[in-house]
Amino acid sequence: MLKIGCHLSSSKGFLAMGKEAVKIGANTFQFFTRNPRGGAAKPIDEKDIDAYIEFAKENGIGKIVAHAPYTLNGCAADEKIRRFAIDTMADDLKRMEYIPGNYYNFHPGSHVKQGVDIGINYIVDMLNEVMTEEQTTTILLETMAGKGSEIGRTFQEIRAIIDKADLGYKLGVCLDTCHIFDGGYDIVNHLDDVVEEFDNVIGLERLKAIHLNDSMNVLGSHKDRHAKIGEGNIGLEAITEIINHKAFRELPFNLETPNDLEGYAGEIALLKSLYR
Ligand code: FE
Ligand code: FE
Ligand code: ZN
């Protein structure tokens, strides 16, 4: 069965997200741990979480993906911004242990003129400070489009972070189809080659989740603007191959397409119908 969901608003809590997911035909979902632009998270509501865990079990909702706020930049030049990123991630991870065994995805960060190597070292410092041997949450590094000075535009950059982090063996990767396409990986005409390159550089066993998005821009544009499924330059044919590819087909796919809930329900139904 296709594991498919989309990004949901976390403002009403976990049980509400679970119910919303089921309503739109999803069996996984993604949510922001707090306001995407940063700021304080809501207090933990253990009753809501317990009710969610029960609901998820009964309704076949599998592993879900928490997304760190966009403003989190663990490799900023400004020490205060790096400190904020570390504290936010540490707090998010503590909260994730209330729903054990799920995923926490983050954008590696933007090095802003410091260079990739310094940026990677700061990201590793952050991970070293927040990761523990005991944590049940798998942290995912998201592949990026390479907009501005984003780290994670190549598989090599992701690999370097995994190699350098003390507990790197616990890290996973979330592949965003819009991002890697904009980053220059031709998943439309050379999907098998891209998968092989991912396997050679990072290792497919690290790949834990997919962000399934079409792209408004062209291959290698380094832009990062998501399009609805089938309405961008990746297109429905390539997306069909992606959801059915043997390297991806068992993974959870989350849509981050510009849609309301009804739009998501439509895309989910469409993708289910294209799953072989
Ligand atoms: Fe993201
Ligand atoms: Fe994404
Ligand atoms: Zn994006």
Side-chain angles (χ1 to χ4, degrees):
M1 195 174 44
L2 179 63
K3 297 180 183 115
I4 181 80
C6 66
H7 193 94
L8 295 175
S9 162
S10 55
S11 62
K12 292 195 206 103
F14 281 97
L15 183 60
M17 284 192 284
K19 287 183 172 168
E20 211 160 66
V22 168
K23 207 167 91 189
I24 59 173
N27 50 19
T28 180
F29 60 88
Q30 174 176 271
F31 62 99
F32 282 123
T33 53
R34 58 191 73 217
N35 184 309
R37 310 232 156 259
K42 288 195 308 182
I44 286 281
D45 179 350
E46 287 192 60
K47 257 198 180 142
D48 173 54
I49 287 176
D50 290 346
Y52 166 74
I53 290 172
E54 193 57 37
F55 181 87
K57 225 187 286 164
E58 283 165 10
N59 289 278
I61 299 177
K63 282 181 190 278
I64 54 175
V65 182
H67 196 305
Y70 288 146
T71 44
L72 190 142
N73 186 6
C75 61
D78 183 339
E79 204 205 317
K80 282 198 291 276
I81 297 175
R82 293 203 304 276
R83 181 38 51 193
F84 171 80
I86 294 170
D87 292 345
T88 300
M89 190 176 282
D91 184 53
D92 280 349
L93 289 170
K94 222 187 290 161
R95 302 159 64 88
M96 285 300 289
E97 290 303 313
Y98 286 88
I99 44 161
N102 288 291
Y103 296 124
Y104 179 75
N105 173 71
F106 78 108
H107 297 177
S110 294
H111 64 73
V112 201
K113 291 189 192 137
Q114 302 175 94
V116 172
D117 293 342
I118 288 175
I120 285 175
N121 287 337
Y122 280 141
I123 295 162
V124 168
D125 290 345
M126 171 173 67
L127 291 169
N128 287 348
E129 199 167 325
V130 303
M131 290 177 81
T132 65
E133 208 69 76
E134 301 76 39
Q135 79 187 41
T136 67
T137 305
T138 302
I139 300 179
L140 307 181
L141 296 150
E142 182 168 352
T143 60
M144 301 308 292
K147 193 170 77 181
S149 62
E150 273 175 349
I151 291 179
R153 70 189 274 176
T154 66
F155 298 158
Q156 283 78 6
E157 290 175 6
I158 302 269
R159 176 59 196 247
I161 297 167
I162 293 170
D163 280 346
K164 287 185 170 188
D166 291 339
L167 299 175
Y169 72 93
K170 296 184 71 122
L171 290 166
V173 175
C174 175
L175 185 149
D176 186 309
T177 54
C178 168
H179 294 179
I180 67 165
F181 182 74
D182 286 17
Y185 292 99
D186 189 356
I187 51 177
V188 175
N189 298 302
H190 300 283
L191 181 60
D192 282 336
D193 294 343
V194 174
V195 169
E196 195 184 316
E197 188 171 349
F198 186 100
D199 195 27
N200 289 339
V201 176
I202 300 175
L204 279 171
E205 69 285 355
R206 298 259 180 209
L207 184 59
K208 304 296 183 192
I210 308 277
H211 285 166
L212 192 64
N213 303 307
D214 211 326
S215 175
M216 288 193 186
N217 292 291
V218 295
L219 178 71
S221 60
H222 302 296
K223 284 266 177 50
D224 187 5
R225 289 200 56 208
H226 304 184
K228 292 181 184 177
I229 297 301
E231 295 186 12
N233 289 306
I234 298 176
L236 193 56
E237 204 180 311
I239 286 171
T240 305
E241 293 311 311
I242 289 165
I243 60 170
N244 286 292
H245 196 285
K246 64 180 188 307
F248 301 149
R249 54 182 292 115
E250 301 297 332
L251 298 171
F253 293 87
N254 273 301
L255 299 160
E256 299 172 313
T257 45
N259 272 308
D260 55 15
L261 278 182
E262 208 184 305
Y264 279 134
E267 288 189 347
I268 288 168
L270 171 67
L271 292 160
K272 281 182 177 172
S273 78
L274 295 169
Y275 191 63
R276 299 190 278 260

